[in-house]
């Protein structure tokens, strides 16, 4: 595990290509509650890494987690060979490929569509990363706010405010993330979340939202600081994706001393479903 972790750090200096795979690897090394596994083209020296759900988990618990994967490569020809190996990616199942640079997208779409998959593409997301926990220390939260972690009972509220609401798979996934992974929220006087953010299997901060009547109060900034500190303390990377046109969110993240990957490395998300 230590050798694999060190090798991943040395593979490439572009954080966009590596951070999601690294986040998944850390969860594997810390009890692996999300049932992930790492596939490489060779060992101990490798050019391509794919982090994905264990095939057994997809068979035994088909609705608990989506068939999520992310990848890094130094050789697109090598990546193609791995994507075409059904021991690595099962293209008979709906699949989400997340957090990949645009340079991989055409290849992945080509392989998936040739296997009978339809594709939906979400693009133009910037990557924000916080490398320095000390940069958060001067941000003091309002002591009167009730900062807590999300509970499984809050999952329906979270899903209601996501772009993918309405899917039973999404609800099951959110419940599992809340149950097993770090999250943060602000509670009202009745103990209900009014602003929140959770993390997923790749350590990414996701699905953040604030109820309309509590917006422009600084609550989201407080939630992100609390969650970032928690992630740093656990030794996890602190990062997330922001739509390039969302200037308000980008300005907020910059105020927290987050670094942004340049726009030319815009992040892509690909969702594949069996063609009807």
């Amino acid at each position: 595990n230590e050798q694999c972790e060190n090798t991943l750090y040395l593979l490439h200096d572009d954080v966009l290509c590596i951070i999601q795979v690294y986040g998944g690897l850390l969860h594997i090394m810390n009890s692996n509650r999300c049932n992930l596994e790492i596939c490489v083209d060779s060992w101990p020296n490798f050019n391509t890494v794919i982090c994905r759900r264990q095939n057994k988990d997809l068979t035994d618990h088909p609705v608990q987690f989506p068939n999520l994967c992310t990848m890094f490569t130094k050789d697109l020809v090598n990546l193609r060979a791995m994507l075409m190996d059904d021991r690595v990616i099962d293209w008979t199942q709906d699949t989400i490929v997340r957090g990949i640079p645009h340079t991989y997208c055409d290849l992945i779409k080509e392989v998936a569509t040739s296997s009978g998959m339809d594709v939906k593409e979400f693009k133009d997301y910037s990557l924000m990363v916080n490398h320095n926990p000390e940069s958060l220390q001067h941000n003091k939260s309002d002591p009167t706010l009730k900062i807590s972690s999300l509970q499984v009972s809050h999952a329906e509220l979270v899903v209601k405010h996501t772009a993918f609401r309405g899917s039973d798979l999404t609800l099951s996934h959110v419940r599992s993330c809340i149950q097993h992974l770090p999250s943060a929220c602000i509670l009202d006087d009745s103990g209900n979340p009014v602003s929140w953010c959770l993390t997923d299997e790749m350590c990414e901060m996701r699905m953040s939202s604030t109820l309309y009547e509590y917006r422009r109060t600084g609550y989201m900034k407080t939630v992100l600081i609390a969650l970032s500190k928690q992630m740093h303390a656990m030794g996890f990377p602190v990062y997330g994706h922001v739509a390039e046109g969302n200037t308000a969110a980008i300005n907020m993240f910059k105020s927290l001393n987050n670094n942004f990957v340049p726009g030319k490395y815009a992040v892509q998300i690909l969702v594949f479903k069996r063609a009807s």
Side-chain angles (χ1 to χ4, degrees):
N1 283 345
E2 183 178 355
Q3 181 185 9
C4 186
E5 179 182 351
N6 292 337
T7 306
L8 279 172
Y9 261 132
L10 295 172
L11 273 173
H12 203 282
D13 59 359
D14 183 355
V15 69
L16 173 61
C17 294
I18 196 65
I19 195 167
Q20 290 225 333
V21 172
Y22 181 60
L25 175 64
L26 286 180
H27 276 313
I28 291 173
M29 296 167 62
N30 287 272
S31 77
N32 199 17
R33 293 175 179 174
C34 301
N35 298 326
L36 301 173
E37 61 186 3
I38 295 285
C39 301
V40 296
D41 61 307
S42 60
W43 187 259
N45 299 312
F46 50 89
N47 291 308
T48 299
V49 188
I50 295 179
C51 180
R52 60 156 169 81
R53 190 83 57 223
Q54 293 176 1
N55 286 335
K56 183 178 184 300
D57 188 53
L58 291 169
T59 302
D60 294 347
H61 307 95
V63 299
Q64 184 175 13
F65 283 114
N67 185 18
L68 175 69
C69 66
T70 190
M71 56 200 68
F72 161 79
T73 189
K74 295 191 292 182
D75 183 343
L76 290 177
V77 174
N78 187 270
L79 175 60
R80 178 190 292 274
M82 287 193 69
L83 291 174
M84 295 180 68
D85 187 336
D86 57 12
R87 296 172 302 172
V88 178
I89 302 291
D90 181 1
W91 293 114
T92 66
Q93 300 196 37
D94 294 352
T95 301
I96 301 172
V97 181
R98 270 228 337 266
I100 54 173
H102 69 282
T103 49
Y104 299 5
C105 283
D106 288 344
L107 170 60
I108 298 170
K109 287 189 290 185
E110 177 190 337
V111 173
T113 54
S114 68
S115 300
M117 305 294 280
D118 287 335
V119 58
K120 186 173 184 180
E121 186 173 355
F122 301 86
K123 59 183 180 179
D124 299 329
Y125 289 90
S126 293
L127 177 70
M128 71 87 189
V129 185
N130 185 285
H131 297 288
N132 183 10
E134 294 182 1
S135 67
L136 302 169
Q137 297 307 315
H138 70 279
N139 290 284
K140 304 298 182 182
S141 60
D142 184 343
T144 65
L145 294 178
K146 298 178 181 179
I147 303 174
S148 183
S149 297
L150 289 166
Q151 303 299 313
V152 173
S153 59
H154 301 146
E156 291 188 10
L157 175 66
V158 172
V159 171
K160 182 180 178 181
H161 291 83
T162 67
F164 305 103
R165 57 186 176 273
S167 165
D168 290 339
L169 181 60
T170 300
L171 179 59
S172 179
H173 183 213
V174 170
R175 283 174 175 157
S176 296
C177 288
I178 291 173
Q179 181 178 359
H180 297 299
L181 307 175
S183 65
C185 66
I186 293 176
L187 305 175
D188 64 14
D189 292 338
S190 300
N192 299 313
V194 298
S195 185
W196 60 83
C197 185
L198 53 80
T199 59
D200 69 5
E201 309 92 313
M202 308 300 177
C203 292
E204 182 179 355
M205 298 197 298
R206 298 184 59 216
M207 301 187 220
S208 60
S209 188
T210 301
L211 298 183
Y212 181 79
E213 58 269 33
Y214 293 92
R215 293 178 183 175
R216 300 187 182 279
T217 60
Y219 280 13
M220 179 52 66
K221 185 174 182 178
T222 298
V223 166
L224 293 175
I225 290 171
L227 184 53
S228 296
K229 288 180 177 180
Q230 185 181 168
M231 296 291 282
H232 277 306
M234 297 174 72
F236 292 151
V238 176
Y239 74 101
H241 296 118
V242 185
E244 290 192 329
N246 191 343
T247 54
I250 289 174
N251 289 335
M252 179 185 65
F253 283 120
K254 286 183 175 179
S255 73
L256 297 175
N257 295 309
N258 289 298
N259 297 317
F260 277 75
V261 173
K264 65 180 180 179
Y265 298 116
V267 175
Q268 312 279 105
I269 301 170
L270 303 176
V271 178
F272 298 99
K273 292 184 175 293
R274 293 300 301 171
S276 55

